[in-house]
Amino acid sequence: DRRRDSPAAGSPIQPIIKDVGEIYSRLLDHRPVIQGEIRYFVKEFEEKRGLRELRVLENLKNTIFETNERVLPKCEQAMQDNLSETLKRLQAANAMMHRLQERECEARKLQADKVMAREEKCIADCEEFMKEQQKKRAEVDEEHRKAMERLKEQYSEMEKELAKYASF
Protein backbone atom coordinates (compact mmCIF):
# COMPACT_ATOMS: atom_id res chain seq x y z
CA ASP A 1 0.00 0.00 0.00
CA ARG A 2 2.72 2.27 0.83
CA ARG A 3 4.51 1.77 -2.42
CA ARG A 4 1.43 2.55 -4.18
CA ASP A 5 1.04 5.71 -2.18
CA SER A 6 4.54 6.92 -2.86
CA PRO A 7 4.81 9.31 -5.76
CA ALA A 8 7.46 7.24 -7.52
CA ALA A 9 5.61 3.94 -7.25
CA GLY A 10 4.46 3.78 -10.79
CA SER A 11 6.96 6.09 -12.28
CA PRO A 12 9.95 5.32 -14.47
CA ILE A 13 12.31 6.54 -11.70
CA GLN A 14 11.65 3.47 -9.65
CA PRO A 15 14.05 1.16 -11.55
CA ILE A 16 16.70 3.88 -11.37
CA ILE A 17 16.31 4.15 -7.59
CA LYS A 18 16.49 0.39 -7.33
CA ASP A 19 19.67 0.31 -9.44
CA VAL A 20 21.23 3.12 -7.38
CA GLY A 21 20.46 1.17 -4.19
CA GLU A 22 22.06 -1.95 -5.66
CA ILE A 23 25.14 -0.01 -6.80
CA TYR A 24 25.44 1.58 -3.38
CA SER A 25 25.20 -1.77 -1.61
CA ARG A 26 27.76 -3.34 -3.94
CA LEU A 27 30.26 -0.50 -4.11
CA LEU A 28 29.96 1.34 -0.83
CA ASP A 29 28.51 -1.09 1.69
CA HIS A 30 31.39 -3.40 2.61
CA ARG A 31 29.82 -4.92 5.70
CA PRO A 32 28.78 -8.23 4.10
CA VAL A 33 32.23 -8.69 2.50
CA ILE A 34 34.08 -7.82 5.69
CA GLN A 35 31.85 -10.08 7.75
CA GLY A 36 32.50 -12.90 5.31
CA GLU A 37 36.27 -12.33 5.51
CA ILE A 38 36.11 -12.25 9.31
CA ARG A 39 34.19 -15.53 9.41
CA TYR A 40 36.69 -17.10 7.01
CA PHE A 41 39.69 -15.85 9.05
CA VAL A 42 38.21 -17.08 12.34
CA LYS A 43 37.43 -20.44 10.79
CA GLU A 44 40.94 -20.79 9.34
CA PHE A 45 42.54 -19.62 12.59
CA GLU A 46 40.53 -21.99 14.73
CA GLU A 47 41.12 -24.96 12.45
CA LYS A 48 44.75 -24.50 11.47
CA ARG A 49 46.31 -22.24 14.03
CA GLY A 50 44.42 -23.67 16.96
CA LEU A 51 45.75 -27.16 16.31
CA ARG A 52 49.24 -25.84 15.76
CA GLU A 53 49.10 -23.90 19.04
CA LEU A 54 47.89 -27.03 20.81
CA ARG A 55 50.80 -28.99 19.35
CA VAL A 56 53.27 -26.29 20.40
CA LEU A 57 51.81 -26.18 23.90
CA GLU A 58 51.92 -29.97 24.14
CA ASN A 59 55.55 -30.01 23.01
CA LEU A 60 56.39 -27.34 25.57
CA LYS A 61 54.65 -29.33 28.29
CA ASN A 62 56.60 -32.46 27.32
CA THR A 63 59.88 -30.54 27.21
CA ILE A 64 59.26 -29.01 30.63
CA PHE A 65 58.27 -32.37 32.09
CA GLU A 66 61.38 -34.04 30.66
CA THR A 67 63.56 -31.21 31.92
CA ASN A 68 62.09 -31.38 35.42
CA GLU A 69 62.14 -35.15 35.66
CA ARG A 70 65.40 -36.10 33.91
CA VAL A 71 67.68 -33.25 32.94
CA LEU A 72 67.45 -31.16 36.10
CA PRO A 73 68.39 -33.99 38.50
CA LYS A 74 71.31 -34.97 36.25
CA CYS A 75 72.50 -31.38 36.17
CA GLU A 76 72.17 -31.05 39.93
CA GLN A 77 74.14 -34.24 40.51
CA ALA A 78 76.86 -33.24 38.05
CA MET A 79 77.03 -29.82 39.63
CA GLN A 80 77.31 -31.28 43.13
CA ASP A 81 80.05 -33.68 42.02
CA ASN A 82 82.00 -31.00 40.20
CA LEU A 83 81.53 -28.42 42.93
CA SER A 84 82.75 -30.76 45.66
CA GLU A 85 85.80 -31.66 43.55
CA THR A 86 86.43 -28.00 42.78
CA LEU A 87 86.03 -27.10 46.46
CA LYS A 88 88.61 -29.75 47.43
CA ARG A 89 91.05 -28.43 44.84
CA LEU A 90 90.53 -24.87 45.97
CA GLN A 91 91.11 -25.83 49.60
CA ALA A 92 94.31 -27.65 48.65
CA ALA A 93 95.49 -24.67 46.61
CA ASN A 94 94.63 -22.36 49.49
CA ALA A 95 96.63 -24.49 51.93
CA MET A 96 99.60 -24.53 49.54
CA MET A 97 99.44 -20.77 49.14
CA HIS A 98 99.29 -20.35 52.92
CA ARG A 99 102.41 -22.49 53.35
CA LEU A 100 104.20 -20.54 50.63
CA GLN A 101 103.29 -17.29 52.30
CA GLU A 102 104.58 -18.55 55.65
CA ARG A 103 107.86 -19.63 54.04
CA GLU A 104 108.21 -16.32 52.29
CA CYS A 105 107.49 -14.48 55.53
CA GLU A 106 110.10 -16.55 57.36
CA ALA A 107 112.62 -15.94 54.57
CA ARG A 108 111.97 -12.20 54.75
CA LYS A 109 112.35 -12.27 58.53
CA LEU A 110 115.65 -14.15 58.21
CA GLN A 111 116.80 -11.69 55.57
CA ALA A 112 115.81 -8.76 57.79
CA ASP A 113 117.64 -10.33 60.74
CA LYS A 114 120.76 -10.77 58.61
CA VAL A 115 120.56 -7.17 57.44
CA MET A 116 120.14 -5.97 61.04
CA ALA A 117 123.11 -8.10 62.15
CA ARG A 118 125.22 -6.65 59.32
CA GLU A 119 124.15 -3.14 60.22
CA GLU A 120 124.98 -3.71 63.90
CA LYS A 121 128.35 -5.20 62.96
CA CYS A 122 129.01 -2.31 60.61
CA ILE A 123 128.10 0.20 63.33
CA ALA A 124 130.33 -1.61 65.83
CA ASP A 125 133.21 -1.70 63.31
CA CYS A 126 132.68 1.96 62.58
CA GLU A 127 132.74 2.84 66.29
CA GLU A 128 135.88 0.76 66.80
CA PHE A 129 137.48 2.42 63.78
CA MET A 130 136.61 5.85 65.14
CA LYS A 131 138.08 4.99 68.57
CA GLU A 132 141.22 3.73 66.87
CA GLN A 133 141.41 6.91 64.83
CA GLN A 134 140.99 8.95 67.98
CA LYS A 135 143.88 7.06 69.62
CA LYS A 136 146.08 7.52 66.55
CA ARG A 137 145.17 11.18 66.40
CA ALA A 138 146.05 11.56 70.07
CA GLU A 139 149.37 9.78 69.42
CA VAL A 140 150.08 11.96 66.42
CA ASP A 141 149.15 15.07 68.41
CA GLU A 142 151.43 13.95 71.21
CA GLU A 143 154.27 13.28 68.79
CA HIS A 144 153.68 16.60 67.19
CA ARG A 145 153.70 18.36 70.57
CA LYS A 146 156.96 16.62 71.52
CA ALA A 147 158.45 17.45 68.14
CA MET A 148 157.42 21.05 68.63
CA GLU A 149 159.04 21.13 72.05
CA ARG A 150 162.23 19.62 70.64
CA LEU A 151 162.21 22.13 67.84
CA LYS A 152 161.63 24.97 70.31
CA GLU A 153 164.49 23.73 72.40
CA GLN A 154 166.64 23.28 69.32
CA TYR A 155 165.79 26.77 68.06
CA SER A 156 166.35 28.29 71.47
CA GLU A 157 169.78 26.61 71.62
CA MET A 158 170.50 27.77 68.11
CA GLU A 159 169.54 31.27 69.14
CA LYS A 160 171.85 31.05 72.11
CA GLU A 161 174.65 29.87 69.89
CA LEU A 162 173.87 32.56 67.41
CA ALA A 163 173.81 35.05 70.18
CA LYS A 164 177.39 33.93 71.00
CA TYR A 165 178.42 34.45 67.45
CA ALA A 166 176.49 37.59 67.03
CA SER A 167 178.62 39.36 69.52
CA PHE A 168 181.56 39.18 67.11
Short mmCIF file of all heavy atoms in Angstrom, two decimals, residues 6 8 21 25 28 39 69-70 77 94 97 100 116 122 132 135:
data_model
loop_
_atom_site.label_atom_id
_atom_site.label_comp_id
_atom_site.label_asym_id
_atom_site.label_seq_id
_atom_site.Cartn_x
_atom_site.Cartn_y
_atom_site.Cartn_z
N SER A 6 3.37 6.05 -2.60
CA SER A 6 4.54 6.92 -2.86
C SER A 6 4.44 7.48 -4.26
O SER A 6 3.92 6.84 -5.16
CB SER A 6 5.83 6.15 -2.67
OG SER A 6 5.99 5.21 -3.67
N ALA A 8 6.65 7.85 -6.48
CA ALA A 8 7.46 7.24 -7.52
C ALA A 8 7.06 5.79 -7.75
O ALA A 8 7.74 5.06 -8.44
CB ALA A 8 8.92 7.32 -7.15
N GLY A 21 20.37 1.89 -5.47
CA GLY A 21 20.46 1.17 -4.19
C GLY A 21 21.36 -0.06 -4.32
O GLY A 21 22.17 -0.38 -3.44
N SER A 25 24.92 -0.63 -2.47
CA SER A 25 25.20 -1.77 -1.61
C SER A 25 26.41 -2.56 -2.11
O SER A 25 27.16 -3.11 -1.32
CB SER A 25 23.97 -2.67 -1.49
OG SER A 25 23.67 -3.28 -2.72
N LEU A 28 29.66 0.57 -2.03
CA LEU A 28 29.96 1.34 -0.83
C LEU A 28 29.65 0.59 0.47
O LEU A 28 30.21 0.94 1.51
CB LEU A 28 29.21 2.67 -0.86
CG LEU A 28 29.56 3.55 -2.07
CD1 LEU A 28 28.69 4.78 -2.08
CD2 LEU A 28 31.02 3.92 -2.07
N ARG A 39 34.60 -14.14 9.15
CA ARG A 39 34.19 -15.53 9.41
C ARG A 39 35.20 -16.52 8.84
O ARG A 39 35.56 -17.50 9.49
CB ARG A 39 32.80 -15.79 8.82
CG ARG A 39 31.69 -15.36 9.74
CD ARG A 39 30.32 -15.84 9.25
NE ARG A 39 29.47 -14.66 9.15
CZ ARG A 39 29.03 -14.10 8.03
NH1 ARG A 39 29.28 -14.66 6.87
NH2 ARG A 39 28.32 -13.01 8.04
N GLU A 69 62.01 -33.78 35.18
CA GLU A 69 62.14 -35.15 35.66
C GLU A 69 63.51 -35.78 35.39
O GLU A 69 63.98 -36.59 36.18
CB GLU A 69 61.05 -36.04 35.03
CG GLU A 69 59.65 -35.65 35.44
CD GLU A 69 59.42 -35.80 36.94
OE1 GLU A 69 59.86 -36.80 37.51
OE2 GLU A 69 58.77 -34.91 37.51
N ARG A 70 64.16 -35.41 34.28
CA ARG A 70 65.40 -36.10 33.91
C ARG A 70 66.62 -35.19 33.89
O ARG A 70 67.64 -35.49 34.50
CB ARG A 70 65.22 -36.73 32.52
CG ARG A 70 64.20 -37.83 32.52
CD ARG A 70 64.13 -38.53 31.18
NE ARG A 70 62.96 -39.41 31.14
CZ ARG A 70 61.97 -39.29 30.31
NH1 ARG A 70 61.99 -38.35 29.40
NH2 ARG A 70 60.95 -40.11 30.35
N GLN A 77 73.16 -33.27 40.05
CA GLN A 77 74.14 -34.24 40.51
C GLN A 77 75.52 -33.92 39.95
O GLN A 77 76.52 -33.95 40.66
CB GLN A 77 73.71 -35.66 40.09
CG GLN A 77 74.64 -36.74 40.62
CD GLN A 77 74.67 -36.77 42.14
OE1 GLN A 77 73.67 -36.58 42.79
NE2 GLN A 77 75.84 -36.98 42.70
N ASN A 94 94.58 -23.36 48.43
CA ASN A 94 94.63 -22.36 49.49
C ASN A 94 95.65 -22.74 50.56
O ASN A 94 96.42 -21.91 51.03
CB ASN A 94 93.24 -22.18 50.10
CG ASN A 94 93.15 -20.98 50.99
OD1 ASN A 94 93.97 -20.07 50.90
ND2 ASN A 94 92.16 -20.96 51.85
N MET A 97 99.13 -22.20 49.16
CA MET A 97 99.44 -20.77 49.14
C MET A 97 99.76 -20.26 50.54
O MET A 97 100.67 -19.46 50.73
CB MET A 97 98.27 -19.96 48.55
CG MET A 97 98.06 -20.19 47.07
SD MET A 97 99.48 -19.73 46.07
CE MET A 97 99.56 -18.00 46.37
N LEU A 100 103.23 -21.37 51.36
CA LEU A 100 104.20 -20.54 50.63
C LEU A 100 104.34 -19.16 51.25
O LEU A 100 105.45 -18.62 51.36
CB LEU A 100 103.77 -20.41 49.16
CG LEU A 100 104.02 -21.62 48.27
CD1 LEU A 100 103.40 -21.39 46.90
CD2 LEU A 100 105.51 -21.88 48.13
N MET A 116 119.96 -6.65 59.75
CA MET A 116 120.14 -5.97 61.04
C MET A 116 121.48 -6.36 61.67
O MET A 116 122.17 -5.49 62.22
CB MET A 116 118.98 -6.34 61.99
CG MET A 116 117.67 -5.69 61.62
SD MET A 116 117.70 -3.91 61.75
CE MET A 116 117.83 -3.72 63.52
N CYS A 122 128.43 -3.45 61.30
CA CYS A 122 129.01 -2.31 60.61
C CYS A 122 129.12 -1.12 61.56
O CYS A 122 130.14 -0.42 61.60
CB CYS A 122 128.15 -1.95 59.40
SG CYS A 122 128.84 -0.63 58.39
N GLU A 132 139.83 3.94 67.29
CA GLU A 132 141.22 3.73 66.87
C GLU A 132 141.79 5.00 66.25
O GLU A 132 142.94 5.38 66.50
CB GLU A 132 141.27 2.56 65.88
CG GLU A 132 142.63 1.97 65.68
CD GLU A 132 142.55 0.74 64.80
OE1 GLU A 132 141.78 -0.18 65.14
OE2 GLU A 132 143.26 0.74 63.77
N LYS A 135 142.61 7.40 68.95
CA LYS A 135 143.88 7.06 69.62
C LYS A 135 145.06 7.48 68.74
O LYS A 135 146.02 8.10 69.22
CB LYS A 135 143.96 5.55 69.89
CG LYS A 135 143.10 5.08 71.02
CD LYS A 135 143.28 3.57 71.19
CE LYS A 135 142.31 3.02 72.20
NZ LYS A 135 142.40 1.58 72.33
#
